[in-house]
Amino acid sequence: MSKNMIIGQSGGPTAVINASLAGAIEYAFGSEKIGKVYGMVHGIQGLLEDNVKDLSEHFENRPSRLNRLRMTPAMFLGSCRYKLSNSDEEFEKIIAALEKYNIGYFFYIGGNDSMDTVDKISKYVAENKIDIKVVGIPKTIDNDLMGIDHSPGFASAAKYIALAVRNVTYDTAIYSVKSVHIIEAMGRDAGWLAASSVLARDSKNVAPHLIYLPEVPFSVDKFISDVRDKLEDYNSVIVVVSEGIRDDKGNYISARGDKIDKFGHVMLSGTGTYLKEVIEEKIGCKVRALEPSVLQRSAGHTASLTDITEAQNLGMVAVKAAIEGESGVFSTLRRTSNKPYSIEYYTENVSVAANAEKTVPLEWITESGNDVTQDMVEYLRPLVKGVPQIPYRDGLPDYVNVSYLDTKKQKYNNNDDSDK
Amino acid sequence: MSKNMIIGQSGGPTAVINASLAGAIEYAFGSEKIGKVYGMVHGIQGLLEDNVKDLSEHFENRPSRLNRLRMTPAMFLGSCRYKLSNSDEEFEKIIAALEKYNIGYFFYIGGNDSMDTVDKISKYVAENKIDIKVVGIPKTIDNDLMGIDHSPGFASAAKYIALAVRNVTYDTAIYSVKSVHIIEAMGRDAGWLAASSVLARDSKNVAPHLIYLPEVPFSVDKFISDVRDKLEDYNSVIVVVSEGIRDDKGNYISARGDKIDKFGHVMLSGTGTYLKEVIEEKIGCKVRALEPSVLQRSAGHTASLTDITEAQNLGMVAVKAAIEGESGVFSTLRRTSNKPYSIEYYTENVSVAANAEKTVPLEWITESGNDVTQDMVEYLRPLVKGVPQIPYRDGLPDYVNVSYLDTKKQKYNNNDDSDK
C-alpha cells in the first residue's frame, strides 16, 4: 500500500522556494509509490499544531495552478522559525502527527537550520526503526549553504541586485554633477549578494565601482579614500556594500551610525545610511543610500529562469531519492562545467549542510578589498540567465493565492480563480 | 532644402523617455523634410555649451540599437535643470547655436519646467520671425502634467510600485506574527504613484490595506488608529504613503522625524521611516519601512509596454506636428474609452502644461482619507498592462551605451557592440 507524503517550508523567503514545492508535488503526482500529498502550514510548527493542508486536492489536475505556484515568490505553505527541542516528547509528537496522515515521506525546504531539523528527525526515525524517509531541499538567498555549488534562491536575488545596480547606473548617469550611490545588499556574514552586483558591468558599464563584503575587515578611512579616488575618474560613483560589513575588531559598521531620536533613544541606522552620512561629512558631494531590503528576495517577476528550473529539479530529486529509499539526505547540485554551464543533481548527507556556513573565498576578493575577481564573475554569470514566462493578469504577475495563511482573518479568501 | 532637427531631454529620469527619443528619431529618419538629427547633450545647457551629438550617425540604419534605446531607462542624452533667464542675450545665444547646425525643428522632452522652456523659445522665435518649429514631448513619473490624460513614465513607475507591493505582500504573508510594512512612493505634491499601489489588489490580495496621499491632510493619530484597526483583521498590514504627505498645517510629515546625529546636527528622516518609529512606539509590533527611491523611476526591465508604446508615439506625433508647421505645442493624448482602453494623440498649446500641476481629484480618494476609489482603479488599470520584450544579454537587459555622458572620464567608452 502506498504511503502519503508531507512537505514544509521554513526560514526566510526567496523567489523560488515554491518552484521546489511545485517540483516535489509534480514528481509525487507522477509516482505510484506516493498516495496523497500534504503540506505543513508554517513548517514543523504547523505539523505540531495539526495545521495541515491537502495539496493533492488543491493542485492535482490543475497544471496551470501548479505553474503559477512555480512562479510565485515566498512560501505557499508559510514559514516558521522553530528550533527542535530535541526532547523525546517532541519527537514522539511529530511522529504521532505524521502517523495520523499515514506519512511515509517527509520533505523540508529550507536553509541550514532547516537541514538541522531534517538531520534530527531522520536520525530519530532511523534509531526507532520508523519507516519514514526524511529528505531536505535546499534554499537560501544568502548562498551560504555548504554541500551545494550554489543555493536555490540566491541566483534570483543576485539578479535583482545586478538589475538594481544597472538601473541606478543609468538613472544617475544623466547628471553631470559629482554623486555617490550606495546600494546595501543583504548578507550578514557572507558577501555573495553584494558580490553579485559585479554582473551589472558589461562592455558599456563599469559600475559598480566599489564592492565591499563582510569577509574582509572594513575601514571607514580606506572607504573614504577609495570613493575619493573613484570620484577623480567618474562623476557618478556606485558603491555596493553587504549589510554585514564590520571593522577589524568585528563590530558591524551599521552599529556605528548611532543617532538619538527625539525621545533620547539611541537608534541604529543601516550600513548604507551610515556610510552616506560619512561621505556627506568628509567629501560633501550628493549621496544617496538605497536599501532594497526584502524587495531583493521577493521579486518573483524578475527571477532567474536558471534558478527556477534548478529549484524545481531539486524538489523532484528529493522526492525521487526518498522513493528510492534514501533518508537523512538533501538534494543538491554540483557544477561540472562553466562554459557551457552544466550541473548534475545528486543527494548528500544532510549533516553537511546543517548549521554550517559558506562564505566567499578570500581569493575571489581583490587584494584592495574593494572588488571581486574574474573567477567570481565566472561563477556568478550563468546563474542569473534566463527570463521566465511569468503568467500576467491585468498587468501584474498572477501568483497563487496565499491569503489563507493569514489566520487573523475571520473568513479567509481561499479562492483562486486564475486557472485556465 | 531640408532643415535639420535637434532634440533634448530635461528634468528627472523615467523608464520611457528614451522611447520618446527613439520615436522622434525614427519618425525623422523616415521624413524627407528633415536632414540630420542632432541631440543636445544635457539639454538646453548642452546646446549653450555646444555639446551636441550626431544622432543620425549613431542610430541611422541600426534598427537593433534604436530598439535597445526604446527599452533603455533614464536619458540617453543626459539631463539638466536649467532655467532660462529670459534675457535677449540668452535667446540670441540659443538661436546662434541652432543656426550653426541649420536647425529647423527643435524638440524638448520633459515635465512642466521643460514645457516652460519650449513655451519661451517658441514665443521668441515667433516674435522674431525665425523659422524654427519648437515642440515639446511630455514626461514625468509624477503624473502631474496638465493637458494630458496621463504622463509618459508614470505608468512604468506605477507598475513598479504595484509590483513591489504585491511582492512584499507575499514576502510577509509567510509569518503568522503581527507586522506592518510601510512603502514610501515618490510624489511631493501629487499622490498618483502612491495611489497606483491599489493595483496590487486582486481577487486573492487585499493589500495595500491603507493608502495615504498628499492631497488629504495627514493626522498621525488617525494613522495609528487606522493601523490598529487593520491589525484587528490581518496579521500583516501593508501601508503605502506618498513621500509628500503633510499635516493640516501643511508641514511635511517627513520633517517630523527629527533626529540628532552624533555631531549634534538635526537630521530629517524619510516619511516611511518616521511612521515606522511612530508605530514601534505606539503599537510595538514588527515594522519595516521600504523606500524604493530611484529604483521606481529607473526600472527599465519592468516598464509597462503601454507606457513604452505611448511614449514612443508621442515622440512621433511631435515630429509630425513640427513638419506640418506647428510650433509652441506639445504632443499629448486623451482617453476616449476605458473599456476597451483607447486613446487618441493630438497637440496642445504648450502653455497649458508649463508650470502647472495636476493633483489627484479629491473625489477619487475615499472619505476616510486612507484609500482610493474604484474610479481611480479604472483610470490606472489599463496603463500598466503589457510586458515589453526587453533585449537581454548575459542575463541582464541590454541597454544602449550612455557612458559617454560622464565627462570626467579621460577616455570614455563610446563602444556599443550589442547591435546584431
Side-chain angles (χ1 to χ4, degrees):
Chain A
M1 207 190 91
S2 70
K3 289 261 193 169
N4 299 325
M5 85 169 234
I6 197 162
I7 186 164
Q9 301 171 313
S10 177
T14 83
V16 304
I17 305 177
N18 287 329
S20 289
L21 177 62
I25 292 173
E26 198 179 330
Y27 198 91
F29 284 171
S31 163
E32 288 178 1
K33 293 230 181 156
I34 292 178
K36 295 200 76 165
V37 179
Y38 292 104
M40 303 173 234
V41 178
H42 297 297
I44 200 82
Q45 193 171 350
L47 178 66
L48 288 166
E49 293 163 3
D50 198 24
N51 194 354
V52 169
K53 191 172 174 76
D54 186 336
L55 299 177
S56 293
E57 189 187 54
H58 199 73
F59 288 108
E60 202 148 29
N61 301 319
R62 288 200 176 98
S64 147
R65 188 181 288 183
L66 202 57
N67 183 51
R68 286 189 294 107
L69 176 66
R70 216 185 311 274
M71 312 287 182
T72 299
M75 303 192 196
F76 176 70
L77 291 170
S79 182
C80 66
R81 300 230 183 237
Y82 188 84
K83 194 93 181 160
L84 288 181
S85 70
N86 276 334
S87 69
D88 273 358
E89 195 194 336
E90 194 173 57
F91 283 121
E92 282 158 19
K93 268 192 196 167
I94 290 170
I95 301 304
L98 295 176
E99 284 175 347
K100 177 178 171 192
Y101 292 96
N102 190 31
I103 300 300
Y105 307 94
F106 176 102
F107 302 95
Y108 215 41
I109 313 173
N112 44 29
D113 286 344
S114 308
M115 293 308 125
D116 185 55
T117 300
V118 170
D119 196 28
K120 285 176 176 149
I121 297 177
S122 68
K123 280 175 180 152
Y124 182 86
V125 298
E127 279 160 20
N128 293 278
K129 304 206 188 328
I130 300 164
D131 186 24
I132 299 177
K133 307 303 173 198
V134 183
V135 175
I137 301 167
K139 73 92 205 160
T140 173
I141 62 159
D142 292 329
N143 200 35
D144 58 357
L145 270 181
M146 297 293 282
I148 191 163
D149 179 75
H150 56 277
S151 313
F154 165 65
S156 295
K159 184 174 173 180
Y160 180 97
I161 292 293
L163 282 165
V165 169
R166 179 160 296 176
N167 286 333
V168 169
T169 302
Y170 279 78
D171 190 274
T172 183
I174 68 170
Y175 298 114
S176 52
V177 294
K178 270 191 184 190
S179 71
V180 178
H181 282 69
I182 304 167
I183 292 127
E184 181 182 327
M186 282 180 162
R188 212 63 190 148
D189 299 306
W192 295 106
L193 277 175
S196 305
S197 64
V198 71
L199 297 177
R201 291 187 199 147
D202 64 7
S203 61
K204 305 159 213 158
N205 296 290
V206 291
H209 303 89
L210 297 164
I211 303 173
Y212 299 95
L213 313 185
E215 283 80 357
V216 172
F218 185 87
S219 150
V220 173
D221 289 342
K222 169 72 162 45
F223 168 74
I224 291 296
S225 142
D226 287 351
V227 172
R228 268 194 223 279
D229 282 354
K230 292 296 177 186
L231 283 169
E232 288 295 311
D233 292 333
Y234 305 97
N235 278 325
S236 167
V237 171
I238 313 271
V239 182
V240 179
V241 297
S242 277
E243 61 176 335
I245 51 170
R246 54 200 90 159
D247 64 21
D248 53 7
K249 298 191 184 69
N251 300 313
Y252 286 112
I253 298 302
S254 59
R256 288 229 196 158
D258 46 328
K259 300 190 200 72
I260 298 156
D261 71 12
K262 56 183 175 179
F263 309 105
H265 307 141
V266 172
M267 309 175 60
L268 299 185
S269 64
T271 307
T273 308
Y274 173 68
L275 294 176
K276 169 182 185 281
E277 289 162 16
V278 173
I279 294 176
E280 280 169 343
E281 195 203 334
K282 304 275 184 184
I283 300 181
C285 66
K286 183 182 159 191
V287 200
R288 214 180 244 129
L290 297 170
E291 193 187 341
S293 180
V294 300
L295 295 171
Q296 71 199 276
R297 69 184 189 192
S298 64
H301 65 297
T302 58
S304 149
L305 181 58
T306 301
D307 198 15
I308 291 177
T309 307
E310 291 177 351
Q312 174 184 320
N313 289 345
L314 286 164
M316 293 190 167
V317 167
V319 178
K320 182 166 186 274
I323 290 173
E324 290 171 355
E326 291 188 63
S327 188
V329 297
F330 71 111
S331 55
T332 182
L333 56 82
R334 68 166 71 88
R335 191 181 309 216
T336 51
S337 158
N338 242 346
K339 280 187 186 179
Y341 176 66
S342 166
I343 53 161
E344 61 186 25
Y345 298 96
Y346 62 110
T347 57
E348 175 70 84
N349 192 307
V350 75
S351 61
V352 170
N355 298 314
E357 215 171 48
K358 181 178 72 177
T359 54
V360 173
L362 291 181
E363 61 269 27
W364 286 6
I365 302 172
T366 57
E367 266 187 57
S368 57
N370 58 25
D371 207 340
V372 296
T373 66
Q374 187 57 26
D375 281 345
M376 174 64 97
V377 176
E378 280 163 25
Y379 169 82
L380 294 169
R381 181 65 73 192
L383 309 184
V384 301
K385 287 193 183 176
V387 179
Q389 291 293 314
I390 305 282
Y392 272 76
R393 193 186 201 192
D394 276 344
L396 291 187
D398 192 12
Y399 300 144
V400 293
N401 193 348
V402 300
S403 65
Y404 80 94
L405 287 172
D406 199 324
T407 50
K408 260 269 176 180
K409 288 178 205 175
Q410 272 127 49
K411 217 180 118 189
Y412 60 69
N413 168 15
N414 199 11
N415 150 42
D416 197 335
D417 57 358
S418 294
D419 302 326
K420 271 143 219 138
Chain B
M1 206 189 91
S2 70
K3 286 262 194 171
N4 299 324
M5 84 170 236
I6 197 162
I7 186 164
Q9 301 170 314
S10 178
T14 84
V16 303
I17 305 177
N18 286 328
S20 289
L21 178 61
I25 292 173
E26 198 179 331
Y27 198 92
F29 284 171
S31 162
E32 288 178 3
K33 292 230 180 156
I34 291 178
K36 295 199 78 166
V37 179
Y38 292 103
M40 303 173 236
V41 177
H42 297 298
I44 199 84
Q45 194 172 349
L47 178 66
L48 288 167
E49 293 164 2
D50 199 23
N51 194 355
V52 169
K53 192 173 173 75
D54 185 337
L55 298 176
S56 294
E57 188 187 56
H58 200 73
F59 289 108
E60 201 148 29
N61 302 317
R62 289 200 175 97
S64 147
R65 187 180 290 183
L66 201 58
N67 184 51
R68 287 189 294 109
L69 176 66
R70 216 185 312 273
M71 310 289 182
T72 300
M75 303 191 196
F76 177 70
L77 291 171
S79 183
C80 66
R81 299 232 183 237
Y82 189 86
K83 193 95 181 159
L84 288 181
S85 70
N86 276 335
S87 68
D88 274 359
E89 196 193 335
E90 194 172 58
F91 283 122
E92 282 159 19
K93 268 192 195 168
I94 290 170
I95 301 306
L98 296 175
E99 285 177 346
K100 178 179 168 188
Y101 291 95
N102 190 30
I103 301 300
Y105 307 95
F106 176 102
F107 302 96
Y108 215 41
I109 312 173
N112 46 26
D113 285 344
S114 308
M115 293 308 126
D116 185 55
T117 300
V118 169
D119 196 27
K120 285 178 177 151
I121 296 177
S122 69
K123 280 176 180 154
Y124 182 87
V125 298
E127 279 162 20
N128 293 276
K129 307 204 187 325
I130 299 165
D131 186 23
I132 300 177
K133 307 302 172 200
V134 183
V135 175
I137 302 166
K139 73 91 204 161
T140 173
I141 63 161
D142 293 328
N143 201 34
D144 59 356
L145 270 181
M146 297 293 281
I148 190 162
D149 179 76
H150 55 278
S151 312
F154 165 65
S156 295
K159 183 174 175 183
Y160 180 98
I161 292 293
L163 282 165
V165 169
R166 179 160 295 177
N167 286 333
V168 169
T169 302
Y170 280 77
D171 190 274
T172 185
I174 67 169
Y175 299 114
S176 53
V177 293
K178 270 192 185 188
S179 71
V180 179
H181 282 70
I182 304 167
I183 292 126
E184 179 181 329
M186 282 179 163
R188 213 62 190 149
D189 299 304
W192 294 105
L193 277 175
S196 305
S197 64
V198 72
L199 297 178
R201 290 186 199 146
D202 63 9
S203 61
K204 306 160 211 159
N205 296 289
V206 291
H209 304 89
L210 297 164
I211 303 173
Y212 299 95
L213 313 185
E215 282 80 358
V216 172
F218 185 88
S219 148
V220 173
D221 289 343
K222 170 74 162 40
F223 168 74
I224 290 297
S225 144
D226 288 350
V227 172
R228 269 194 222 280
D229 283 354
K230 292 295 175 185
L231 282 169
E232 289 294 311
D233 291 333
Y234 305 98
N235 279 326
S236 169
V237 171
I238 313 270
V239 182
V240 178
V241 297
S242 278
E243 60 177 334
I245 51 169
R246 57 201 88 161
D247 64 22
D248 56 4
K249 297 192 184 71
N251 301 313
Y252 286 113
I253 298 301
S254 58
R256 286 229 198 159
D258 45 328
K259 300 191 200 72
I260 298 157
D261 71 12
K262 56 183 174 179
F263 310 104
H265 307 142
V266 171
M267 309 174 58
L268 300 185
S269 64
T271 306
T273 307
Y274 172 69
L275 295 175
K276 168 182 185 282
E277 289 160 16
V278 173
I279 294 176
E280 279 168 344
E281 195 202 334
K282 304 274 182 184
I283 301 181
C285 66
K286 183 182 157 192
V287 200
R288 216 181 243 128
L290 297 170
E291 193 188 340
S293 179
V294 299
L295 295 171
Q296 72 199 276
R297 70 184 187 191
S298 64
H301 65 297
T302 57
S304 149
L305 182 58
T306 300
D307 198 15
I308 291 177
T309 307
E310 291 177 351
Q312 174 184 318
N313 290 346
L314 286 165
M316 292 188 170
V317 167
V319 177
K320 182 165 185 277
I323 289 172
E324 290 172 353
E326 290 190 65
S327 189
V329 297
F330 71 112
S331 55
T332 183
L333 55 82
R334 68 167 70 88
R335 191 180 309 217
T336 52
S337 159
N338 242 347
K339 280 184 186 182
Y341 176 65
S342 166
I343 53 161
E344 61 187 23
Y345 298 96
Y346 64 110
T347 56
E348 175 70 84
N349 192 308
V350 76
S351 61
V352 171
N355 298 314
E357 216 171 45
K358 181 178 73 178
T359 54
V360 173
L362 291 180
E363 61 270 25
W364 287 7
I365 301 172
T366 58
E367 265 188 60
S368 57
N370 58 24
D371 208 341
V372 296
T373 67
Q374 187 57 27
D375 281 344
M376 174 65 95
V377 176
E378 280 164 25
Y379 168 82
L380 293 169
R381 181 65 74 192
L383 308 186
V384 302
K385 286 195 183 174
V387 179
Q389 291 294 316
I390 304 283
Y392 271 76
R393 192 188 199 190
D394 276 345
L396 292 186
D398 193 12
Y399 300 144
V400 293
N401 193 348
V402 301
S403 65
Y404 80 93
L405 287 172
D406 198 324
T407 50
K408 259 269 179 181
K409 288 179 203 172
Q410 271 129 47
K411 218 180 117 191
Y412 60 70
N413 169 14
N414 199 12
N415 149 42
D416 197 336
D417 57 359
S418 295
D419 302 325
K420 274 142 217 139

